[in-house]
């Protein structure tokens, strides 16, 4: 889980239709596995997925994940975060693409998007610029339904 991170995103899935848009999730304090939001998003089987968020991290410590979708038998059906200092990483079913180190700075609001389509490619954008991409990434795969979404 991730502490010392502020996440600005639309949480319509968690809040219900028409409410909860443009809220800020603030995970203050020292790193702790107690700072997260977990819920059943009601996802159906997916062959494409995109997630965008404004993030501001306050520490340069590596290995933090701020978005996770897990299903029975797969902790990392979808996983987005940082596994090297300043590198954004995007996993689909335990296979990943990543940006170069330094793409995600400390103490600066950063817009991060991760997008995947099983028929084309996956890519990560940082502040509107493509920072990593791979054609044919997890081609033909499908994200399973019935999982748990964890943010934070």
């Amino acid at each position: 889980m991730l502490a010392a991170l502020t996440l600005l995103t639309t949480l319509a899935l968690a809040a219900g239709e028409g409410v909860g848009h443009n809220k800020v999730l603030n995970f203050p304090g020292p790193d702790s596995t107690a700072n997260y939001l977990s819920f059943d998003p009601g996802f159906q089987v997916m062959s494409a997925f995109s997630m965008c968020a404004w993030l501001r991290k306050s520490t340069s410590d590596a290995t933090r994940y701020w978005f996770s979708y897990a299903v029975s038998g797969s902790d990392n059906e979808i996983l987005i975060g940082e596994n090297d200092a300043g590198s954004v990483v995007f996993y689909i079913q335990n296979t990943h693409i990543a940006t170069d180190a330094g793409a995600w700075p400390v103490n600066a609001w950063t817009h991060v998007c991760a997008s995947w389509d099983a028929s084309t490619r996956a890519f990560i954008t940082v502040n509107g610029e493509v920072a990593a991409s791979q054609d044919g990434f997890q081609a033909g795969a499908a994200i399973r339904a019935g999982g748990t979404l964890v943010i934070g």
Side-chain angles (χ1 to χ4, degrees):
M1 299 308 137
L2 173 63
L5 171 75
T6 302
L7 171 70
L8 173 63
T9 188
T10 302
L11 293 174
L13 291 172
E17 189 174 325
V19 297
H21 298 288
N22 299 321
K23 300 292 184 181
V24 173
L25 295 176
N26 187 19
F27 299 102
D31 285 347
S32 169
T33 57
N35 294 321
Y36 66 93
L37 171 67
S38 176
F39 61 98
D40 176 353
F43 288 163
Q44 299 301 312
V45 173
M46 298 181 282
S47 61
F49 170 83
S50 292
M51 173 62 183
C52 293
W54 281 98
L55 303 162
R56 182 179 169 271
K57 65 179 183 169
S58 60
T59 179
S60 62
D61 295 342
T63 312
R64 65 189 72 248
Y65 298 97
W66 55 269
F67 185 98
S68 172
Y69 177 69
V71 297
S72 179
S74 176
D75 291 340
N76 298 329
E77 197 77 352
I78 303 170
L79 185 65
I80 306 170
E82 175 182 39
N83 67 354
D84 290 321
S87 175
V88 179
V89 65
F90 178 31
Y91 286 84
I92 297 290
Q93 298 172 340
N94 293 312
T95 301
H96 75 279
I97 63 170
T99 67
D100 291 335
W104 184 8
V106 176
N107 291 321
W109 282 105
T110 305
H111 190 254
V112 176
C113 290
S115 186
W116 164 74
D117 186 322
S119 65
T120 57
R121 67 183 183 134
F123 61 91
I124 300 168
T125 62
V126 178
N127 292 326
E129 301 290 328
V130 175
S133 68
Q134 184 176 333
D135 291 336
F137 182 79
Q138 290 295 71
I143 301 299
R144 292 177 284 163
T148 299
L149 181 61
V150 177
I151 299 175

